Amino acid sequence: MMLFVSLPEKADAQFAIAEVIKAAIKKVVKAIDLKVQRLQNQTIWLQNAQKAIENQLSKLKLDEISGWSQKQKDLYEKYYKELQAVKSLIRYYQRIRDVTETQTTLVSQYNHAWGLLRQDQHFSSTELEHMQGVYSGILKESVKNLDEIMLLISSFKTQMSDEKRLELIDAAAKRMDTNCSDLKRFNTENFTLSLHRAKDENELLTLKNYYGIH
Protein backbone atom coordinates (compact mmCIF):
# COMPACT_ATOMS: atom_id res chain seq x y z
CA MET A 1 0.00 0.00 0.00
CA MET A 2 1.48 3.31 -1.10
CA LEU A 3 0.54 6.64 0.42
CA PHE A 4 2.00 9.15 -2.04
CA VAL A 5 0.01 12.25 -1.16
CA SER A 6 0.24 15.89 -2.20
CA LEU A 7 -1.29 17.85 0.63
CA PRO A 8 -3.41 20.84 -0.46
CA GLU A 9 -2.93 24.29 0.93
CA LYS A 10 -6.42 24.93 2.27
CA ALA A 11 -7.09 24.00 5.88
CA ASP A 12 -10.34 22.08 5.26
CA ALA A 13 -8.79 20.05 2.45
CA GLN A 14 -5.74 19.45 4.61
CA PHE A 15 -8.00 18.08 7.35
CA ALA A 16 -9.71 15.74 4.87
CA ILE A 17 -6.40 14.45 3.52
CA ALA A 18 -5.23 13.74 7.07
CA GLU A 19 -8.34 11.60 7.62
CA VAL A 20 -7.65 9.66 4.42
CA ILE A 21 -4.06 9.03 5.52
CA LYS A 22 -5.24 7.94 8.95
CA ALA A 23 -7.72 5.43 7.49
CA ALA A 24 -5.10 4.00 5.14
CA ILE A 25 -2.58 3.63 7.96
CA LYS A 26 -5.11 1.74 10.09
CA LYS A 27 -5.44 -0.83 7.29
CA VAL A 28 -1.65 -1.19 7.14
CA VAL A 29 -1.39 -1.66 10.92
CA LYS A 30 -4.15 -4.29 10.90
CA ALA A 31 -2.50 -6.24 8.09
CA ILE A 32 0.89 -6.09 9.80
CA ASP A 33 -0.62 -7.20 13.13
CA LEU A 34 -2.03 -10.32 11.45
CA LYS A 35 1.30 -11.01 9.79
CA VAL A 36 3.20 -10.62 13.06
CA GLN A 37 0.74 -12.90 14.87
CA ARG A 38 1.25 -15.65 12.30
CA LEU A 39 5.01 -15.23 12.49
CA GLN A 40 4.95 -15.33 16.27
CA ASN A 41 2.93 -18.55 16.24
CA GLN A 42 5.45 -20.07 13.86
CA THR A 43 8.29 -18.88 16.04
CA ILE A 44 6.80 -20.57 19.12
CA TRP A 45 6.55 -23.84 17.20
CA LEU A 46 10.12 -23.55 15.95
CA GLN A 47 11.42 -22.59 19.38
CA ASN A 48 9.82 -25.69 20.88
CA ALA A 49 11.40 -27.77 18.15
CA GLN A 50 14.73 -26.09 18.83
CA LYS A 51 14.52 -26.90 22.54
CA ALA A 52 13.84 -30.53 21.78
CA ILE A 53 16.79 -30.65 19.40
CA GLU A 54 19.11 -28.90 21.85
CA ASN A 55 18.14 -31.33 24.60
CA GLN A 56 19.25 -34.17 22.38
CA LEU A 57 22.38 -32.44 21.14
CA SER A 58 23.47 -31.68 24.69
CA LYS A 59 23.88 -35.41 25.21
CA LEU A 60 25.19 -36.55 21.85
CA LYS A 61 26.88 -35.01 18.86
CA LEU A 62 24.68 -34.84 15.82
CA ASP A 63 27.10 -36.73 13.59
CA GLU A 64 27.40 -39.54 16.16
CA ILE A 65 23.69 -40.33 16.48
CA SER A 66 23.29 -43.72 14.92
CA GLY A 67 20.20 -44.49 12.94
CA TRP A 68 19.65 -40.92 11.74
CA SER A 69 19.42 -40.54 8.00
CA GLN A 70 20.97 -37.62 6.18
CA LYS A 71 17.44 -36.49 5.39
CA GLN A 72 16.60 -36.18 9.10
CA LYS A 73 19.80 -34.27 9.79
CA ASP A 74 19.08 -31.88 6.92
CA LEU A 75 15.53 -31.38 8.23
CA TYR A 76 16.67 -30.23 11.67
CA GLU A 77 19.32 -28.02 10.14
CA LYS A 78 16.54 -26.44 8.09
CA TYR A 79 14.54 -25.80 11.29
CA TYR A 80 17.45 -23.83 12.74
CA LYS A 81 17.68 -21.67 9.63
CA GLU A 82 13.91 -21.10 9.56
CA LEU A 83 13.93 -20.07 13.20
CA GLN A 84 16.50 -17.36 12.55
CA ALA A 85 14.61 -16.16 9.46
CA VAL A 86 11.31 -15.94 11.33
CA LYS A 87 12.89 -14.02 14.20
CA SER A 88 14.27 -11.53 11.66
CA LEU A 89 10.87 -11.15 10.00
CA ILE A 90 9.13 -10.54 13.33
CA ARG A 91 11.54 -7.74 14.14
CA TYR A 92 11.01 -6.41 10.62
CA TYR A 93 7.20 -6.33 10.76
CA GLN A 94 7.05 -5.06 14.33
CA ARG A 95 9.24 -2.10 13.34
CA ILE A 96 6.91 -1.31 10.45
CA ARG A 97 3.91 -1.54 12.77
CA ASP A 98 5.57 0.89 15.19
CA VAL A 99 6.18 3.32 12.34
CA THR A 100 2.59 3.27 11.08
CA GLU A 101 1.29 3.73 14.63
CA THR A 102 3.56 6.77 15.02
CA GLN A 103 2.11 8.24 11.84
CA THR A 104 -1.44 7.54 13.04
CA THR A 105 -0.67 9.34 16.31
CA LEU A 106 0.79 12.30 14.43
CA VAL A 107 -2.27 12.69 12.20
CA SER A 108 -4.64 12.30 15.15
CA GLN A 109 -2.83 14.94 17.20
CA TYR A 110 -2.76 17.30 14.24
CA ASN A 111 -6.50 16.91 13.66
CA HIS A 112 -7.23 17.57 17.32
CA ALA A 113 -4.92 20.57 17.68
CA TRP A 114 -5.83 22.28 14.42
CA GLY A 115 -9.53 21.76 15.07
CA LEU A 116 -9.12 23.71 18.33
CA LEU A 117 -6.68 26.37 17.16
CA ARG A 118 -8.64 27.53 14.14
CA GLN A 119 -11.64 28.21 16.40
CA ASP A 120 -9.57 30.17 18.92
CA GLN A 121 -10.36 33.90 18.74
CA HIS A 122 -6.95 34.77 20.21
CA PHE A 123 -5.28 34.18 16.86
CA SER A 124 -5.42 36.43 13.80
CA SER A 125 -5.99 35.09 10.29
CA THR A 126 -2.31 35.77 9.55
CA GLU A 127 -1.22 33.71 12.54
CA LEU A 128 -3.55 30.87 11.59
CA GLU A 129 -2.17 30.95 8.06
CA HIS A 130 1.34 30.65 9.47
CA MET A 131 0.28 27.72 11.65
CA GLN A 132 -1.33 26.04 8.67
CA GLY A 133 1.93 26.36 6.75
CA VAL A 134 3.96 24.80 9.56
CA TYR A 135 1.50 21.95 10.04
CA SER A 136 1.43 21.34 6.29
CA GLY A 137 5.23 21.12 6.24
CA ILE A 138 5.30 18.61 9.09
CA LEU A 139 2.58 16.48 7.50
CA LYS A 140 4.26 16.52 4.09
CA GLU A 141 7.56 15.43 5.61
CA SER A 142 5.94 12.63 7.62
CA VAL A 143 4.10 11.34 4.54
CA LYS A 144 7.37 11.46 2.59
CA ASN A 145 9.05 9.32 5.25
CA LEU A 146 6.13 6.89 5.34
CA ASP A 147 6.19 6.60 1.54
CA GLU A 148 9.89 5.77 1.72
CA ILE A 149 9.20 2.99 4.22
CA MET A 150 6.30 1.59 2.19
CA LEU A 151 8.52 1.58 -0.89
CA LEU A 152 11.20 -0.36 0.98
CA ILE A 153 8.80 -3.07 2.10
CA SER A 154 6.89 -3.38 -1.18
CA SER A 155 9.73 -3.18 -3.69
CA PHE A 156 11.49 -6.46 -2.93
CA LYS A 157 13.00 -6.40 -6.41
CA THR A 158 15.54 -3.99 -4.98
CA GLN A 159 18.62 -6.02 -4.20
CA MET A 160 19.54 -5.55 -0.55
CA SER A 161 19.85 -7.66 2.58
CA ASP A 162 17.14 -7.76 5.26
CA GLU A 163 19.54 -6.01 7.62
CA LYS A 164 20.17 -3.20 5.15
CA ARG A 165 16.44 -2.83 4.48
CA LEU A 166 15.74 -2.71 8.22
CA GLU A 167 18.52 -0.15 8.66
CA LEU A 168 16.88 2.14 6.08
CA ILE A 169 13.47 1.62 7.69
CA ASP A 170 14.93 2.52 11.10
CA ALA A 171 16.44 5.71 9.65
CA ALA A 172 13.11 6.77 8.15
CA ALA A 173 11.34 5.81 11.39
CA LYS A 174 13.64 8.10 13.39
CA ARG A 175 12.79 10.96 11.06
CA MET A 176 9.11 10.23 11.61
CA ASP A 177 9.67 10.31 15.37
CA THR A 178 11.21 13.74 14.87
CA ASN A 179 8.15 14.81 12.84
CA CYS A 180 5.91 13.71 15.70
CA SER A 181 8.04 15.52 18.29
CA ASP A 182 8.03 18.68 16.17
CA LEU A 183 4.25 18.59 15.90
CA LYS A 184 3.80 18.08 19.65
CA ARG A 185 6.15 20.96 20.41
CA PHE A 186 4.38 23.25 17.93
CA ASN A 187 1.01 22.32 19.45
CA THR A 188 2.30 23.20 22.92
CA GLU A 189 3.71 26.52 21.71
CA ASN A 190 0.39 27.51 20.17
CA PHE A 191 -1.67 26.42 23.18
CA THR A 192 0.67 28.31 25.52
CA LEU A 193 0.48 31.46 23.38
CA SER A 194 -3.31 31.40 23.61
CA LEU A 195 -3.15 31.03 27.40
CA HIS A 196 -0.84 34.04 27.64
CA ARG A 197 -3.44 36.12 25.83
CA ALA A 198 -6.18 35.39 28.35
CA LYS A 199 -7.60 38.56 29.85
CA ASP A 200 -8.36 37.19 33.29
CA GLU A 201 -8.32 34.06 35.47
CA ASN A 202 -11.75 32.91 34.31
CA GLU A 203 -10.74 33.07 30.68
CA LEU A 204 -7.47 31.33 31.49
CA LEU A 205 -9.33 28.48 33.18
CA THR A 206 -11.70 28.21 30.22
CA LEU A 207 -8.79 27.99 27.80
CA LYS A 208 -7.04 25.33 29.87
CA ASN A 209 -10.18 23.23 29.78
CA TYR A 210 -10.57 23.92 26.07
CA TYR A 211 -7.08 22.64 25.32
CA GLY A 212 -7.14 19.90 27.93
CA ILE A 213 -4.29 21.43 29.94
CA HIS A 214 -4.26 20.59 33.62
Side-chain angles (χ1 to χ4, degrees):
M1 180 182 295
M2 300 304 294
L3 297 176
F4 292 108
V5 177
S6 177
L7 295 178
E9 297 299 326
K10 297 297 183 180
D12 290 342
Q14 196 172 319
F15 184 87
I17 288 295
E19 284 299 310
V20 171
I21 296 172
K22 183 177 179 181
I25 292 170
K26 283 183 178 180
K27 292 181 180 179
V28 175
V29 173
K30 183 177 180 180
I32 291 172
D33 280 339
L34 293 175
K35 191 75 172 182
V36 170
Q37 184 177 355
R38 287 195 294 270
L39 288 169
Q40 287 174 332
N41 290 337
Q42 186 178 0
T43 298
I44 292 173
W45 185 89
L46 288 170
Q47 285 175 335
N48 290 335
Q50 183 184 29
K51 288 179 182 178
I53 297 169
E54 289 176 345
N55 288 337
Q56 292 298 323
L57 295 183
S58 65
K59 301 175 183 178
L60 298 170
K61 293 182 179 179
L62 181 62
D63 58 2
E64 293 177 355
I65 299 178
S66 60
W68 275 34
S69 67
Q70 186 60 45
K71 182 178 180 180
Q72 288 172 315
K73 295 176 183 179
D74 291 342
L75 176 63
Y76 284 109
E77 182 179 356
K78 178 184 177 183
Y79 286 159
Y80 277 115
K81 292 180 179 179
E82 286 182 349
L83 178 62
Q84 295 305 317
V86 170
K87 285 182 177 179
S88 177
L89 282 172
I90 286 177
R91 180 187 171 205
Y92 184 72
Y93 281 107
Q94 285 177 331
R95 189 69 179 109
I96 297 167
R97 184 181 61 183
D98 291 342
V99 165
T100 52
E101 287 177 346
T102 296
Q103 180 72 356
T104 301
T105 298
L106 184 149
V107 173
S108 178
Q109 291 183 350
Y110 158 73
N111 283 339
H112 176 71
W114 182 239
L116 296 174
L117 290 167
R118 61 181 180 173
Q119 301 297 326
D120 192 332
Q121 299 300 315
H122 291 105
F123 299 114
S124 66
S125 58
T126 300
E127 288 174 321
L128 290 174
E129 184 177 350
H130 169 72
M131 290 179 194
Q132 181 185 336
V134 174
Y135 281 126
S136 179
I138 294 174
L139 285 171
K140 285 180 180 178
E141 188 63 27
S142 69
V143 170
K144 177 182 175 182
N145 291 325
L146 185 61
D147 279 338
E148 180 179 340
I149 291 170
M150 292 306 174
L151 181 61
L152 284 169
I153 66 175
S154 64
S155 182
F156 284 101
K157 294 180 181 179
T158 304
Q159 295 298 319
M160 69 177 69
S161 66
D162 287 340
E163 284 301 315
K164 180 61 177 178
R165 196 182 300 272
L166 188 57
E167 178 184 334
L168 293 175
I169 289 175
D170 282 338
K174 289 178 181 178
R175 292 194 295 272
M176 287 184 66
D177 288 337
T178 299
N179 298 150
C180 199
S181 297
D182 288 344
L183 184 132
K184 289 179 180 178
R185 182 170 58 253
F186 190 57
N187 286 345
T188 299
E189 290 174 358
N190 293 328
F191 296 165
T192 301
L193 179 58
S194 179
L195 296 181
H196 286 165
R197 293 178 177 178
K199 297 177 181 179
D200 52 45
E201 287 298 324
N202 287 334
E203 186 178 9
L204 179 62
L205 180 60
T206 299
L207 285 171
K208 284 184 176 181
N209 290 332
Y210 181 68
Y211 286 114
I213 299 174
H214 304 289

